[in-house]
Amino acid sequence: MLSVTILGVSGSIGSSALQFLRLHRDTFTLKNIALRNDWRSALDIRAEFGCQAVGFEDSRAAEMFVRHAPNTRSRVLSGPEAASELASEPVDVVLAAISGSAGFPSVLAAIMAGNRIALANKESLVCGGAPLLELAASKGVPVIPVDSEHSAIFQCLLAGTRQEVVSLLLTASGGPFRTASIEQMRRATPEQALAHPNWRMGLKNTIDSATLANKGLELIEAAYLFGCDEGKIDVLINPTSVMHSAVCYRDGSMVAQLGRPDMRVAVGYGLSWPARLESGVEALSLSELGALAFETVDPDKFPSLGLARSALRAGGDGPLLFNAANEIAVKAFISGKLGLMRIPALIETCLERGAGRFTGGLPDVPVLCREALDFCRAELAGQS
Ligand SMILES: NC(=O)c1ccc[n+]([C@@H]2O[C@H](COP(=O)([O-])OP(=O)(O)OC[C@H]3O[C@@H](n4cnc5c(N)ncnc54)[C@H](OP(=O)(O)O)[C@@H]3O)[C@@H](O)[C@H]2O)c1
């Protein structure tokens, strides 16, 4: 049996993982789960999977959990360290699926403990950068990407050697505003931004997909994961989200991974790697699909992608700042305090004004993230 810890178990990725585990009860056992405050989901998951430990970031949620499961045999942890504590318990694989930079400490803890990681939480890699992967390599910890694009590239890279790779192609859906005008995007409401045409995801990831800041984060993630220069990572829109990404080789071959837009495939591969197990997702029907369409990204509608490239080229704290500014801007957009097109504007301002203030080593990253978030919050307040 392979033991699993899921960090962010009550979220969209967590739910895909649980669906996958239900198909493979003879192969996996769910040992630990961590989440923020959704104690009702935790009660159901614990009852179904019999986890040994449950960790809540919010201590009141932990109290509610215990109150509703007074005879639970699961250990219950609470507080900001709970996810990291569980991440460092030895298991075969830790699925890192907390959203945002809040996921960094638990990813670091899992690596320090030598636990293999299935990485959905792209923000932790954007903030930790190459040193996070160097630490993982030094500890012999495999980091298997779960983002569908990075899972695709990871799989496509099995077709050749790194020396044979010329470039990577990241695909994007284009989100709900692919065909909208800039004027329509300026007036976009959170409800419109949350209506993603292809993927069902958590709140932040869905807004990030509407601005393509998500593709910016993914570009940074791909550069680190695959040791690839930003200039050698192309981004193209594939509106149906069936071509998940591709690798171009020097002999002119392009190796792509295709499938239905369903995260159970990438999550399942992240958990079962190097094996492939049934995910419950049917193979794509190319005859039903008929055609594969592609479009280039309009930089005026989606400036976040170019800003991510600049942040990556600038190096240092550029990616961390990009992420922090985006996190603050997305929260403000969701609460109606900021227009959609002002998300990239805030990122740009923060990159310009904050660069160089948030540098340090890996152990400093949680504090640097907090400071960068405070800085961006202040920049936002100064604008209104
Ligand atoms: N959804 C997708 O299809 C998708 C695809 C690729 C990559 N990703 C990445 O995967 C990650 C998760 O995305 P998601 O869409 O699954 O997010 P989500 O639906 O918002 O779920 C987030 C999960 O993290 C937990 N959480 C949030 N803050 C926490 C904290 N401080 N401590 C402990 N747990 C915390 C939440 O718990 P509560 O429910 O208690 O709040 C929830 O379980 C993100 O980094 C995203 O970029 C997602």
Side-chain angles (χ1 to χ4, degrees):
M1 288 290 255
L2 297 171
S3 53
V4 181
T5 291
I6 302 183
L7 311 171
V9 72
S10 49
S12 155
I13 291 286
S15 149
S16 294
L18 295 176
Q19 289 178 54
F20 181 79
L21 296 186
R22 281 186 193 107
L23 293 177
H24 302 287
R25 292 188 191 271
D26 297 343
T27 310
F28 296 98
T29 169
L30 181 56
K31 189 172 167 194
N32 301 316
I33 55 173
L35 65 169
R36 183 170 41 195
N37 60 11
D38 185 355
W39 56 271
R40 287 190 178 85
S41 293
L43 282 173
D44 292 344
I45 297 165
R46 202 225 67 86
E48 181 181 357
F49 291 92
C51 321
Q52 287 180 18
V54 185
F56 293 90
E57 198 248 354
D58 179 345
S59 44
R60 278 167 311 175
E63 284 165 23
M64 291 303 281
F65 177 88
V66 173
R67 196 176 299 166
H68 286 80
N71 301 320
T72 182
R73 269 182 259 135
S74 302
R75 205 155 38 94
V76 181
L77 292 76
S78 66
E81 312 292 328
S84 299
E85 218 170 295
L86 292 181
S88 45
E89 293 197 357
V91 281
D92 292 295
V93 54
V94 171
L95 173 62
I98 289 175
S99 56
S101 51
F104 178 87
S106 50
V107 168
L108 182 62
I111 293 175
M112 292 298 287
N115 284 326
R116 169 156 76 83
I117 300 200
L119 184 73
N121 177 225
K122 65 195 94 184
E123 296 92 340
S124 59
L125 183 50
V126 168
C127 295
L132 189 68
L133 294 174
E134 284 156 18
L135 178 72
S138 74
K139 296 203 163 276
V141 169
V143 177
I144 313 301
V146 163
D147 236 331
S148 59
E149 296 78 359
H150 304 74
S151 173
I153 292 173
F154 183 85
Q155 296 174 55
C156 296
L157 285 171
L158 299 174
T161 67
R162 294 299 162 105
Q163 292 70 36
E164 293 162 353
V165 173
V166 177
S167 60
L168 308 180
L169 171 62
L170 269 182
T171 52
S173 68
F177 303 121
R178 182 176 64 84
T179 57
S181 66
I182 293 191
E183 205 35 59
Q184 287 169 321
M185 289 176 73
R186 279 204 188 97
R187 293 193 307 266
T189 62
E191 290 69 30
Q192 289 168 329
L194 286 169
H196 197 283
N198 305 340
W199 298 97
R200 295 287 154 263
M201 306 177 287
L203 217 58
K204 175 177 180 289
N205 215 45
T206 310
I207 302 297
D208 288 351
S209 298
T211 59
L212 260 67
N214 182 48
K215 215 44 59 182
L217 293 167
E218 288 179 6
L219 180 109
I220 299 170
E221 183 187 12
Y224 291 144
L225 269 175
F226 307 118
C228 192
D229 271 0
E230 164 272 320
K232 291 189 172 164
I233 307 176
D234 299 323
V235 176
L236 267 187
I237 291 177
N238 168 225
T240 49
S241 294
V242 297
M243 183 162 143
H244 295 147
S245 278
V247 174
C248 300
Y249 286 97
R250 67 185 177 196
D251 62 354
S253 296
M254 177 185 277
V255 179
Q257 191 255 356
L258 282 76
R260 293 182 192 271
D262 189 318
M263 283 307 292
R264 286 176 292 169
V265 179
V267 171
Y269 187 61
L271 291 172
S272 65
W273 174 87
R276 283 182 190 274
L277 301 179
E278 279 176 17
S279 66
V281 179
E282 261 182 77
L284 190 65
S285 162
L286 289 177
S287 58
E288 261 173 44
L289 187 69
L292 268 180
F294 296 97
E295 297 165 11
T296 53
V297 175
D298 179 342
D300 296 326
K301 278 172 58 179
F302 301 111
S304 296
L305 183 58
L307 291 167
R309 287 193 186 277
S310 309
L312 189 55
R313 274 199 305 272
D317 55 2
L320 184 145
L321 253 176
F322 176 91
N323 180 69
N326 183 55
E327 283 191 17
I328 294 297
V330 168
K331 276 198 184 127
F333 171 68
I334 290 171
S335 57
K337 293 183 190 136
L338 193 74
L340 185 82
M341 293 307 281
R342 285 186 58 208
I343 295 177
L346 183 72
I347 297 174
E348 187 168 19
T349 306
C350 293
L351 286 174
E352 273 167 20
R353 294 166 59 102
R357 296 184 187 209
F358 306 101
T359 53
L362 270 186
D364 308 318
V365 169
V367 172
L368 295 171
C369 283
R370 271 199 299 280
E371 289 176 355
L373 289 168
D374 289 344
F375 170 80
C376 298
R377 210 173 281 118
E379 285 296 322
L380 173 66
Q383 285 186 4
S384 38

